Amino acid sequence: MTTRVIIVDDQAMVRAGFAALLAAQSDIDVVGEAPDGAQGVELSRRTHPDVVLMDVRMPEMDGLEAARRLLSPPPGVTHRPRVLMLTTFDVDDYVYEALRAGASGFLLKDAPPADLIAAVRVVASGDALLAPSVTRRLIADFARQRPTPPGKPALRLKALTARETEVLTLVARGRSNTEIAETLVLAEQTVKTHVSRVLTKLDLRDRAQAVVFAYESGLVSAGE
């Protein structure tokens, strides 16, 4: 199955380089490019990509606002792509807000080519790009600096069973389903079921939002 990708970045050379790299992969099809967030949203609505590579800082409309529009579309728009944020800085307020909005992760622009290709595949498969420790550090740092957002995340934790809370804690610490299964002595399929129930009960889109929620609710802290 081919993964459809669009690239949204205000630097033409960056777009061209990423497009050439990804298009060379047999399982990835680059279906469009855009120079700013507004055009990126319009392009996504028209081409229905699986993954949007979205630069964080752009003129006209930045990547954060564009990501919000793609991930929380207006009534009548059913397509919601996976969004992978591209940034020059590993600690960026915009990136944190994008993760809260439902972006599936972020990647530094100077990452090795193999990392970009792998990131697109990971995000397209439905997983969140949370393996790099810097992602969890970013979330932890910003969550610690901010007051608890509206909705009182700590109260929402009460909807989870004890086992689901354990699973969420391990997800927030960056553990894979396989590692969680080994830690809790469960079948991997059982862990997948627990993760799915956690996301459903807390109304979260994916593991990236789950990590944000776990820190903001106080379930885990930056020192853990």
Side-chain angles (χ1 to χ4, degrees):
M1 181 177 176
T2 301
T3 298
R4 294 166 58 83
V5 177
I6 66 172
I7 302 165
V8 185
D9 194 295
D10 62 328
Q11 298 180 41
M13 290 293 288
V14 171
R15 295 197 308 272
F18 285 178
L21 178 64
L22 294 172
Q25 311 307 309
S26 60
D27 59 335
I28 298 176
D29 185 12
V30 179
V31 297
E33 303 173 25
D36 61 61
Q39 292 185 55
V41 171
E42 191 278 329
L43 178 63
S44 178
R45 300 267 199 264
R46 191 172 71 247
T47 60
H48 290 188
D50 301 299
V51 177
V52 176
L53 290 179
M54 181 77 73
D55 187 21
V56 169
R57 298 177 183 275
M58 293 180 288
E60 304 300 329
M61 180 188 293
D62 62 33
L64 172 59
E65 179 59 28
R68 284 174 172 156
R69 295 191 184 192
L70 290 177
L71 296 167
S72 298
V77 177
T78 58
H79 177 254
R80 289 204 308 171
R82 299 280 173 176
V83 177
L84 179 61
M85 306 303 295
L86 299 169
T87 180
T88 306
F89 308 102
D90 63 359
V91 176
D92 192 314
D93 199 4
Y94 281 76
V95 174
Y96 174 76
E97 293 297 342
L99 292 173
R100 284 182 76 184
S104 295
F106 82 99
L107 191 69
L108 295 178
K109 284 188 175 183
D110 60 358
D115 286 3
L116 173 64
I117 296 167
V120 168
R121 289 172 176 155
V122 166
V123 170
S125 72
D127 289 330
L129 189 68
L130 290 173
S133 60
V134 65
T135 304
R136 295 191 300 279
R137 190 188 78 225
L138 173 88
I139 296 171
D141 286 350
F142 280 110
R144 185 175 59 242
Q145 294 169 14
R146 292 158 179 253
T148 301
K152 299 180 179 179
L155 294 179
R156 291 165 62 193
L157 282 173
K158 294 182 179 180
L160 304 182
T161 65
R163 179 61 84 189
E164 288 164 353
T165 302
E166 285 182 300
V167 169
L168 175 58
T169 300
L170 292 173
V171 166
R173 290 174 179 163
R175 306 287 176 82
S176 67
N177 285 346
T178 300
E179 292 169 334
I180 294 172
E182 292 173 353
T183 299
L184 300 180
V185 194
L186 297 171
E188 189 168 343
Q189 185 56 50
T190 301
V191 172
K192 290 180 180 179
T193 299
H194 283 312
V195 172
S196 178
R197 287 176 178 167
V198 167
L199 297 180
T200 298
K201 287 184 176 182
L202 299 178
D203 192 27
L204 304 172
R205 187 176 186 199
D206 58 22
R207 294 171 89 100
Q209 282 195 318
V211 174
V212 172
F213 178 90
Y215 278 105
E216 291 189 334
S217 67
L219 180 64
V220 295
S221 64
E224 295 185 59

